[in-house]
């Protein structure tokens, strides 16, 4: 069975940092395109960052220079390092594994507030 489990979310002050993790089972993060998406209340889900099988990376303009997507193949885990967080980053963050069949985690809440 395939499962993606996000962790690392929480409450952080503006300017702070968080590191999100996505632990995968049943699939390998090394052979799929992996991505982080987020959805704020009343907003559409949007792509935050994408890393392909070949290692190419794409970021949303709103997070360039602040967020870093990476993966640890040995741990079969995807990460999102988030620095210089802003209130506008408040959302539920979802891990996504691409391919013929798309898989999604349950999401983890990130709240940026003083």
């Amino acid at each position: 069975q395939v499962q993606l489990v996000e962790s690392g979310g929480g409450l952080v002050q503006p300017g702070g940092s968080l590191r999100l993790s996505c632990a995968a089972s049943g699939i390998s993060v090394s052979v799929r395109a992996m991505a982080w998406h987020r959805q704020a209340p009343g907003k559409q889900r949007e792509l935050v960052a994408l890393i392909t099988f070949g290692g190419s990376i794409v970021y949303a303009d709103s997070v360039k220079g602040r967020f870093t997507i990476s993966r640890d193949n040995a741990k079969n885990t995807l990460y999102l390092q988030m620095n210089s967080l802003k209130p506008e980053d408040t959302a539920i963050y979802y891990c996504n594994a691409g391919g013929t069949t798309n898989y999604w985690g349950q999401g983890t809440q990130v709240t940026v507030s003083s």
Side-chain angles (χ1 to χ4, degrees):
Q1 294 185 10
V2 175
Q3 189 172 26
L4 303 174
V5 180
E6 300 98 334
S7 63
L11 175 64
V12 65
Q13 294 184 344
S17 298
L18 285 174
R19 191 188 196 195
L20 305 184
S21 298
C22 172
S25 60
I27 58 169
S28 174
V29 303
S30 68
V31 298
R32 288 175 174 262
M34 302 292 299
W36 289 96
H37 297 247
R38 67 185 181 187
Q39 187 167 20
K43 303 292 185 180
Q44 295 184 30
R45 187 173 297 188
E46 64 174 346
L47 175 68
V48 175
L50 168 72
I51 182 168
T52 70
F53 165 74
S56 297
I57 295 174
V58 176
Y59 294 102
D61 288 341
S62 60
V63 307
K64 285 181 179 177
R66 300 188 298 120
F67 290 12
T68 303
I69 188 171
S70 64
R71 57 190 167 199
D72 186 328
N73 294 338
K75 296 183 182 294
N76 204 31
T77 300
L78 180 74
Y79 301 99
L80 184 68
Q81 178 67 46
M82 305 185 294
N83 299 326
S84 302
L85 283 162
K86 305 174 180 180
E88 305 93 275
D89 296 318
T90 296
I92 301 174
Y93 284 72
Y94 297 91
C95 179
N96 167 244
T100 302
T101 301
N102 267 268
Y103 299 97
W104 295 87
Q106 294 299 309
T108 184
Q109 177 71 49
V110 172
T111 302
V112 184
S113 179
S114 59

